[in-house]
Amino acid sequence: MRKVLHTVPLVLALGATTAALAVAPPAVGAGTTPPCSPHVDGAGAHHGTGTPDVPDHPRLRRNAEALAALGIPAVQARATTPHTTCAVRVGVADVDTARPIPHDGAFRIASTSKAFTATVVLQLVGEGRLGLDDRVERWMPGIVAGRPITIRQLLQHTSGLRDAIPTWNSEAEYLAMRHQRYDTEDLVSRGVALPQLFPPGEGWAYSNTGYMIAELLIERITGRPWDREFDRRIFRPLGMRHTYWPGSSPEIRLPHAEQYQRFDGELVDVTSQIPAYPAGGIVSTTRDLDVFFRALLGGRLLRPAELAEMKTTRPVGPDVERFWPDGRYGLGLVSRPLPDGRRYWGHDGGDSGSIVMAGATEDGRRSAVVSMNLALDGSLPETLAQLRAADRVITDVLHPPRP
């Protein structure tokens, strides 16, 4: 099995079939389900402290339990409507000790960070500091070897650039590689050196290399590290107090559930690691991601012109479309259909030990986030079952079924 390369769908970088999960995690019973708490935008008095900040909800819990029943040790789900917020936890944070999942526990968000990257680039566009159709070579000569790739193509995965991110295929490789630090410029150079998948703008293929270049571009334009720009422009203004980049630290601040990967059918704790793609190592919570996507879709982070650019989409490639049926990709945002024909917006993330799905309605008034601490990758049917069950958590919030 391979490490998931900060990309979604989570199966894109997964390898051969592994045995079934040996330990079935216990589910927390539904019990009495009080009504959800009144929603105050950006609020959450006790999140991340081990004290509940929002109550349970029956439908959200049923969907989270169905997801955990597939064999995922810990599932966290959060839902926000115009008037209420609900959150549930199902399973255990540690399969060895049966430690409870903390309220609003932290996790790495992997490719969900691409929505942050695109937001900051589009803010710079709105400030007149660069243009979406500027060639990358204008701002960083030589970084893409003279190819006519534009900033828009980086953000929409139409650059044709390949990835050259190291992976691990066994527990032994994980233990040997987990604390290794990688130079972003070197990873970009390796990706650029590979033959392009297609000429710029003439196809679609998920590219972490393209987003690493976009993050280096943020540094070139602002003169500050990309993570500080994320914090200055997004995290602090929105009160995302539990979202941060740990830098060279391989650990996640408590409280959090452990993160697991299967090697030869056995669960291995892979919480301690330094992701090769730096922005993929950003840590957040369901509460903070919920706040971000509502603010983004609600127009609080981008002007209308730049938000419209972000939501100008094209179909994803055929290898991804079967996992994102009718999926379309904008600039750091994915658009997917709801049962009534409308579409919702978000960005998923998948990495070793952490899978995140997030979505919000067109106006940001309804949103949902689900975090899982294991990718079910033993077979295509198993992976699809996880994706569909997680998608049900999201879509039942954004398009509530009739009673």
Side-chain angles (χ1 to χ4, degrees), residues 311-328:
K311 293 163 70 174
T312 300
T313 62
R314 59 153 297 152
V316 298
D319 56 338
V320 174
E321 203 274 340
R322 58 178 171 167
F323 307 112
W324 284 345
D326 195 21
R328 300 184 65 89

Side-chain angles (χ1 to χ4, degrees), residues 253-300:
R253 297 174 196 159
L254 292 170
H256 64 79
E258 302 306 299
Q259 299 186 338
Y260 294 98
Q261 187 165 345
R262 290 190 306 194
F263 296 111
D264 297 323
E266 298 296 324
L267 280 184
V268 175
D269 188 329
V270 295
T271 309
S272 181
Q273 60 172 282
I274 300 175
Y277 167 37
I282 289 175
V283 175
S284 190
T285 65
T286 58
R287 180 266 178 193
D288 277 8
L289 291 181
D290 182 66
V291 167
F292 167 70
F293 281 106
R294 285 189 290 110
L296 177 62
L297 273 299
R300 292 173 53 192

Side-chain angles (χ1 to χ4, degrees), residues 136-372:
V136 175
E137 287 283 317
R138 172 182 174 183
W139 299 102
M140 295 183 289
I143 195 168
V144 292
R147 294 169 179 148
I149 296 171
T150 67
I151 295 169
R152 184 190 303 275
Q153 289 163 350
L154 294 180
L155 299 181
Q156 198 157 42
H157 298 301
T158 57
S159 68
L161 293 172
R162 295 176 181 266
D163 287 337
I165 298 179
T167 68
W168 51 64
N169 301 287
S170 67
E171 182 178 2
E173 288 185 354
Y174 158 71
L175 293 173
M177 298 170 63
R178 61 180 177 161
H179 295 162
Q180 187 170 340
R181 298 180 180 89
Y182 298 94
D183 180 76
T184 300
E185 288 87 346
D186 180 57
L187 292 177
V188 167
S189 295
R190 293 187 198 180
V192 170
L194 297 172
Q196 278 193 264
L197 292 166
F198 46 79
E202 295 186 18
W204 190 94
Y206 204 93
S207 174
N208 294 292
T209 298
Y211 268 78
M212 285 190 283
I213 294 172
E215 285 135 20
L216 294 174
L217 176 65
I218 290 170
E219 296 186 348
R220 176 64 60 89
I221 298 297
T222 66
R224 287 180 288 269
W226 60 264
D227 61 297
R228 292 186 186 176
E229 286 299 289
F230 285 16
D231 185 64
R232 186 173 76 89
R233 292 169 173 268
I234 301 174
F235 305 160
R236 278 186 287 164
L238 295 182
M240 297 169 62
R241 296 190 296 110
H242 299 281
T243 301
Y244 65 96
W245 183 56
S248 60
S249 172
E251 310 305 331
I252 301 174
R253 297 174 196 159
L254 292 170
H256 64 79
E258 302 306 299
Q259 299 186 338
Y260 294 98
Q261 187 165 345
R262 290 190 306 194
F263 296 111
D264 297 323
E266 298 296 324
L267 280 184
V268 175
D269 188 329
V270 295
T271 309
S272 181
Q273 60 172 282
I274 300 175
Y277 167 37
I282 289 175
V283 175
S284 190
T285 65
T286 58
R287 180 266 178 193
D288 277 8
L289 291 181
D290 182 66
V291 167
F292 167 70
F293 281 106
R294 285 189 290 110
L296 177 62
L297 273 299
R300 292 173 53 192
L301 292 173
L302 294 174
R303 301 186 315 173
E306 283 70 56
L307 184 56
E309 293 279 15
M310 194 178 208
K311 293 163 70 174
T312 300
T313 62
R314 59 153 297 152
V316 298
D319 56 338
V320 174
E321 203 274 340
R322 58 178 171 167
F323 307 112
W324 284 345
D326 195 21
R328 300 184 65 89
Y329 204 95
L331 306 182
L333 271 186
V334 181
S335 170
R336 298 177 64 185
L338 288 169
D340 63 358
R342 294 179 300 134
R343 302 186 72 85
Y344 74 90
W345 301 84
H347 205 298
D348 305 342
D351 192 13
S352 177
S354 180
I355 306 299
V356 186
M357 294 183 71
T361 51
E362 181 84 19
D363 57 6
R365 289 168 60 81
R366 284 183 174 269
S367 59
V369 181
V370 59
S371 166
M372 301 153 275

